[in-house]
Amino acid sequence: MNRHDRNVLIACVITTIIALLAFWWSSRYQVPVANVTKPSYQHRDKKATRASGYYATEERQVERFPFDPNTADSTQLLRLGLASWQVKNIYKYRGRGGVYRSKEDFAQIYGLTKKQYRELEPYIQISADYLPASQFVKKPERDTVRHYPEKMKEGEQVMLNTADTSQLQRVPGIGSYYAKEIVHQRQRLGGFVSLDQLDAIDGFPQQAKPYLVVQQSDVRKLNLNQLSLQQLRQHPYLNYFQAKAIVDYRRLHGSLKSLNDLRFSRDFTDEAIRRLEPYVAF
């Protein structure tokens, strides 16, 4: 090693020795730190004491006395044992126009337990001013006696083609149902030409026929030369094929003179012509 390198090495060794001596000296005379304990504080204010993480509150003395939930104030409701938020909800309900009309209505208060309601139920007194008005309005008595039309006597008769339902109900054996069916069938046909046509009504009472009279002059006629296919089909005694046969005849041969003009059509039998004859005109 040259002279310069030796000087550097000696300087490093001296510096290391000085550092070790300084560390040993400082650790020898270091003062130990004493354990410091936090002072304890005793809370004397009972209202500020905590129990299991919650503030202790002063218990209220629950009372029982008659009350009307529609008029009781907050002081009374709190004395009954209701929570402040329940009292607030009651005030909101009443403020919106709500009315407790029965004890069961009071049971709908949010948060009210079954036990609380059973204890309060005997003391709830709803004023008559808040009860439904329907309980105090006298309802009119309904006439429960049904008045039936007086039936016709033997020998009396009614015109079948002009009588209304009230007149028909006077006929023995005919009630409201058969009276309506007679009028309905009469409108479809254009009138009755025979009492036997009533047999088309299912279950028609035969004992009613002696009290009915048929006048063929009251029958409405069909003009076969003027009515359209759809109009002809509306009659109970004309089906689609018969109505089409009439229209086809008019188109090919001109106006009909009588029902005999249709005898060559297979859709018109002798029975069909006989039944239709009282209802047609040319």
Side-chain angles (χ1 to χ4, degrees):
M1 298 177 62
N2 55 30
R3 183 177 179 181
H4 181 268
D5 294 336
R6 287 197 301 271
N7 292 337
V8 172
L9 180 60
I10 293 171
C12 292
V13 172
I14 293 173
T15 302
T16 303
I17 293 172
I18 293 173
L20 292 173
L21 290 174
F23 178 76
W24 173 78
W25 183 268
S26 60
S27 61
R28 181 179 179 183
Y29 292 95
Q30 184 177 4
V31 180
V33 180
N35 294 330
V36 180
T37 58
K38 296 182 180 180
S40 59
Y41 299 92
Q42 181 178 5
H43 296 278
R44 296 181 180 180
D45 190 356
K46 294 182 179 180
K47 294 183 179 180
T49 57
R50 296 174 180 267
S52 301
Y54 294 93
Y55 286 104
T57 57
E58 184 179 356
E59 294 184 358
R60 289 181 297 175
Q61 184 66 31
V62 177
E63 303 178 36
R64 293 288 180 260
F65 52 86
F67 72 100
D68 187 342
N70 293 301
T71 56
D73 56 25
S74 59
T75 303
Q76 294 175 316
L77 295 173
L78 289 172
R79 287 168 53 198
L80 290 167
L82 295 176
S84 58
W85 55 271
Q86 289 176 317
V87 176
K88 185 177 180 180
N89 289 337
I90 292 174
Y91 268 73
K92 285 184 178 180
Y93 176 73
R94 296 191 323 206
R96 293 194 300 266
V99 176
Y100 298 100
R101 303 187 185 277
S102 64
K103 296 181 179 181
E104 290 75 13
D105 291 343
F106 185 75
Q108 303 300 321
I109 295 177
Y110 178 75
L112 188 68
T113 64
K114 184 177 181 180
K115 178 181 178 182
Q116 284 179 306
Y117 175 72
R118 284 183 174 178
E119 294 177 353
L120 294 173
E121 191 268 340
Y123 300 94
I124 300 175
Q125 296 181 353
I126 307 295
S127 173
D129 295 336
Y130 296 96
L131 296 177
S134 59
Q135 297 183 5
F136 303 94
V137 177
K138 186 177 180 181
K139 297 181 180 179
E141 296 182 359
R142 295 183 178 180
D143 187 6
T144 57
V145 179
R146 298 184 64 181
H147 297 281
Y148 294 94
E150 183 180 355
K151 295 297 183 180
M152 298 172 62
K153 297 179 181 179
E154 188 176 355
E156 295 181 337
Q157 291 181 321
V158 64
M159 297 298 176
L160 182 60
N161 286 329
T162 58
D164 57 20
T165 54
S166 59
Q167 292 174 319
L168 291 171
Q169 289 183 59
R170 295 187 61 238
V171 176
I174 296 179
S176 60
Y177 171 76
Y178 286 116
K180 292 178 181 178
E181 289 295 316
I182 290 172
V183 173
H184 177 66
Q185 186 71 1
R186 185 176 68 193
Q187 291 174 345
R188 294 181 64 221
L189 289 169
F192 293 99
V193 296
S194 171
L195 292 178
D196 293 336
Q197 291 176 293
L198 294 172
D199 295 334
I201 301 175
D202 187 28
F204 185 81
Q206 298 299 313
Q207 67 270 23
K209 289 183 178 180
Y211 297 90
L212 302 172
V213 177
V214 174
Q215 286 185 330
Q216 294 193 12
S217 59
D218 297 325
V219 175
R220 185 175 67 252
K221 303 279 187 178
L222 302 175
N223 193 321
L224 298 186
N225 291 321
Q226 296 179 355
L227 299 178
S228 65
L229 175 65
Q230 296 300 329
Q231 291 173 328
L232 291 170
R233 286 187 58 195
Q234 293 178 3
H235 197 277
Y237 292 165
L238 285 173
N239 58 35
Y240 171 78
F241 299 102
Q242 291 171 332
K244 189 174 184 302
I246 294 174
V247 174
D248 289 342
Y249 183 93
R250 289 183 341 210
R251 178 172 54 83
L252 297 174
H253 306 286
S255 299
L256 289 162
K257 302 297 189 296
S258 68
L259 287 178
N260 291 328
D261 297 337
L262 300 172
R263 289 187 181 275
F264 295 102
S265 174
R266 62 181 181 180
D267 296 311
F268 283 94
T269 62
D270 292 341
E271 175 62 22
I273 291 176
R274 184 192 63 78
R275 188 174 60 170
L276 185 61
E277 191 170 10
Y279 293 101
V280 299
F282 302 95

